[in-house]
């Protein structure tokens, strides 16, 4: 192996020059990839390009590596500099899907695997066998969409009203109020508790059937924060708080935020401590760079203004985009579909029992207030519960897996980001909490952040205080 060449390839920064929508950010956003998956995909691309540079024969990328390659070809200057570095102009040769090409690319794929093994070890299935990030979940896509099923289910519910009425009427005549209502409410409670336990167990089982190297086991703290809370502002709050803790941003006496001149606080290499190292690492992250850039751009401002600017930045948008894409992919699977169908059928059956009782009471001119209220509340609870079920893998199952199964095996001591995921706002800087609360209250009241930021003055201040070939 040519270590000198490989080290040069490793050091090549595809994000140079840095920009708001640079190479890795664009790659992640356009493919709905997580930060870790994007970084490793780029590394695998560099390995492939090393093989292309050092081999006299055609080599073939995986679909994921090819995706990175296509992206790099668009960044023409960077790609030209990279080819100059490796000493070879690596041409992208698309497949024409004829027999000759098929045999050629098959041989190239086998050759690539052999060369890869000789230089880097065994290929990762995640990046060399799957066509996309989400395939590692091992989930087959359902043929029936949830919305289609819901429409069908509602029609079936309506069709069952008359036969159910005829079947249940003799039984219901033997049960008088308030006994029926009490029994009905008890049944509802038991059913919801039972479904919740079954849903949590089954969804975790689905996740555990994923590839052991799947991206879901390599999520970053802030991606989990978004999953758990479904709010991108909580992710931004965490990054801004870290920058305040590390003296990159400062909260002024009037509750405005400004950028601190960090050049004056640089630490000499010989005196770097663990804390200083973490600070240096933080300040070099794309999120920190973008946050500080935006802060400098808007100048001294109130936090709602800064938060509103950051929430639309690609580096932050990708957190929500890839996690939302994960939820959609999961919910469109056959396995989740079966679970949803069962929940709907059970809950609809319970609702049917109450609805028939209500119809009977009305037809017999009996008091129906209690059963009417109970049935209406049940309907609302069912709508809420089924909607929550589509989010359960995000807001409960995956975060709990990290808390109980994954993080205990990792060294996360003194890692603020993981503490933020585990404990939430409790770890935020004291002076920052009122500013966060103001943003939250402002959002809950559907108020405009810009109106606060532009007309705050002291009033807001006081409120805040509270390559080689490609076989496509």
């Amino acid at each position: 192996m040519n270590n000198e060449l490989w080290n040069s390839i490793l050091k090549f920064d595809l994000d140079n020059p840095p920009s708001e929508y640079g190479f890795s950010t664009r790659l992640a956003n356009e493919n709905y990839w997580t930060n870790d998956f994007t970084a490793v995909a780029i590394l695998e691309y560099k390995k492939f390009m090393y093989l292309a540079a050092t081999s006299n024969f055609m080599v073939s990328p995986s679909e994921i590596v090819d995706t990175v390659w296509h992206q790099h070809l668009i960044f023409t200057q960077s790609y030209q500099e990279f080819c100059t570095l490796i000493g070879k102009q690596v041409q992208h040769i698309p497949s024409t899907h004829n027999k000759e090409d098929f045999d050629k690319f098959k041989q190239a794929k086998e050759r690539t695997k052999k060369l890869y093994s000789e230089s880097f070890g065994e290929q990762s299935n995640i990046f060399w066998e799957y066509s996309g990030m989400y395939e590692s979940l091992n989930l087959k896509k359902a043929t029936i969409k949830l919305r289609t099923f819901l429409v069908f289910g509602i029609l079936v519910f309506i069709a069952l009203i008359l036969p159910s009425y005829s079947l249940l009427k003799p039984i219901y005549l033997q049960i008088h109020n308030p006994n029926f209502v009490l029994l009905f409410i008890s049944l509802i409670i038991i059913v919801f508790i039972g479904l919740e336990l079954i849903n949590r167990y089954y969804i975790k089982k689905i996740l555990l059937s994923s590839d052991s190297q799947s991206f879901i086991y390599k999520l970053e703290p802030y991606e989990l924060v978004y999953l758990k809370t479904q709010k991108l502002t909580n992710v931004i709050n965490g990054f801004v708080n870290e920058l305040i803790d590390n003296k990159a941003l400062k909260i002024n006496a009037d509750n405005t935020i400004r950028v601190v001149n960090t050049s004056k606080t640089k630490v000499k290499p010989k005196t770097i401590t663990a804390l200083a190292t973490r600070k240096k690492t933080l300040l070099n992250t794309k999120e920190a760079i973008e946050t500080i850039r935006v802060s400098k751009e808007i100048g001294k401002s109130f936090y709602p203004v800064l938060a509103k600017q950051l929430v639309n930045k690609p580096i932050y948008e990708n957190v929500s985009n890839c996690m939302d894409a994960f939820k959609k992919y999961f919910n469109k699977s056959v396995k989740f579909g079966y679970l949803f169908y069962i929940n709907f059928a059970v809950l609809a059956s319970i609702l049917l029992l109450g609805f028939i009782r209500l119809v009977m009471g009305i037809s017999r001119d009996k008091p129906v207030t209690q059963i009417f209220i109970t049935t209406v509340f049940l309907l609302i609870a069912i709508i809420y519960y089924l909607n929550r079920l589509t989010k359960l893998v995000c807001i409960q199952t995956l975060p709990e897996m990290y808390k109980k199964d994954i993080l205990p095996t990792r060294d996360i001591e003194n890692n603020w980001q993981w503490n933020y995921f585990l404990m939430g706002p409790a770890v935020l800087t004291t002076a920052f909490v009122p500013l966060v609360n103001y943003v939250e209250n402002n959002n809950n009241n559907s108020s405009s952040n810009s109106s606060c930021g532009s007309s705050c003055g002291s009033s807001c201040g006081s409120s805040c205080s509270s390559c080689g070939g490609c076989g496509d």
Side-chain angles (χ1 to χ4, degrees), residues 296-336:
K296 288 180 178 179
E297 188 178 90
I298 64 179
K300 176 181 173 181
S301 64
F302 290 97
Y303 183 56
V305 178
L306 177 60
K308 184 180 180 181
Q309 292 289 322
L310 293 175
V311 77
N312 296 315
K313 297 302 177 182
I315 192 63
Y316 286 113
E317 277 188 329
N318 187 56
V319 176
S320 59
N321 288 345
C322 65
M323 292 297 99
D324 288 343
F326 159 67
K327 181 179 69 174
K328 291 178 181 178
Y329 191 93
F330 186 89
N331 290 344
K332 290 180 179 180
S333 69
V334 171
K335 292 180 179 179
F336 178 78

Side-chain angles (χ1 to χ4, degrees), residues 199 203 336 339-340 343 385-392:
N199 292 337
I203 290 178
F336 178 78
L339 184 65
F340 188 89
N343 276 260
Y385 191 78
L386 291 177
N387 180 60
R388 178 179 173 273
L389 179 59
T390 62
K391 303 175 184 176
L392 195 61

Side-chain angles (χ1 to χ4, degrees), residues 376-395:
V376 170
F377 272 103
L378 175 59
L379 177 59
I380 295 172
I382 289 174
I383 295 173
Y384 168 81
Y385 191 78
L386 291 177
N387 180 60
R388 178 179 173 273
L389 179 59
T390 62
K391 303 175 184 176
L392 195 61
V393 66
C394 300
I395 63 177

Side-chain angles (χ1 to χ4, degrees), residues 1-193:
M1 182 174 181
N2 188 334
N3 290 315
E4 183 179 354
L5 175 60
W6 172 237
N7 288 330
S8 297
I9 292 174
L10 271 180
K11 292 177 182 178
F12 188 87
D13 186 3
L14 276 70
D15 282 311
N16 186 42
S19 65
E20 180 180 329
Y21 201 51
F23 182 87
S24 59
T25 302
R26 178 170 180 165
L27 182 65
N29 277 33
E30 293 186 355
N31 295 283
Y32 302 97
W33 289 352
T34 63
N35 288 336
D36 177 80
F37 190 91
T38 302
V40 180
I42 291 173
L43 177 61
E44 293 301 315
Y45 165 69
K46 288 184 175 182
K47 290 178 181 179
F48 166 74
M49 292 299 282
Y50 169 84
L51 298 180
T54 57
S55 173
N56 294 323
F57 300 94
M58 176 180 174
V59 290
S60 177
S62 65
E63 289 192 45
I64 291 174
V65 170
D66 190 49
T67 299
V68 184
W69 192 6
H70 275 265
Q71 180 75 58
H72 202 191
L73 287 167
I74 296 173
F75 287 71
T76 53
Q77 183 176 345
S78 174
Y79 188 72
Q80 187 59 49
E81 291 174 356
F82 188 65
C83 287
T84 300
L85 173 70
I86 65 177
K88 191 174 184 179
Q89 188 68 38
V90 186
Q91 301 292 332
H92 188 288
I93 306 173
S95 172
T96 56
H97 296 284
N98 56 40
K99 188 179 184 303
E100 290 182 0
D101 270 0
F102 177 80
D103 293 338
K104 180 175 64 176
F105 286 118
K106 183 180 179 181
Q107 292 174 9
K109 182 177 180 180
E110 293 172 353
R111 183 186 304 115
T112 303
K113 188 172 184 178
K114 181 176 182 297
L115 292 172
Y116 186 103
S117 178
E118 292 172 352
S119 298
F120 306 109
E122 187 178 354
Q123 290 178 337
S124 168
N125 288 338
I126 301 295
F127 297 93
W128 288 90
E129 296 297 331
Y130 297 142
S131 61
M133 184 177 81
Y134 301 99
E135 283 194 14
S136 64
L137 295 172
N138 297 325
L139 294 175
K140 183 180 178 181
K141 187 176 180 179
T143 55
I144 302 175
K145 295 181 180 180
L146 294 184
R147 290 182 180 178
T148 304
F149 173 81
L150 284 172
V151 173
F152 175 77
I154 293 172
L155 293 176
V156 171
F157 179 91
I158 296 172
L160 288 175
I161 292 177
L162 285 178
S164 298
Y165 183 89
S166 301
L167 181 66
L168 294 172
K169 185 177 180 179
I171 300 173
Y172 279 5
L173 289 174
Q174 306 300 318
I175 308 174
H176 303 288
N177 286 334
N179 293 337
F180 178 85
V181 175
L182 293 175
L183 288 172
F184 188 52
I185 292 175
S186 299
L187 179 61
I188 292 171
I189 295 173
I190 292 171
V191 167
F192 272 109
I193 292 175

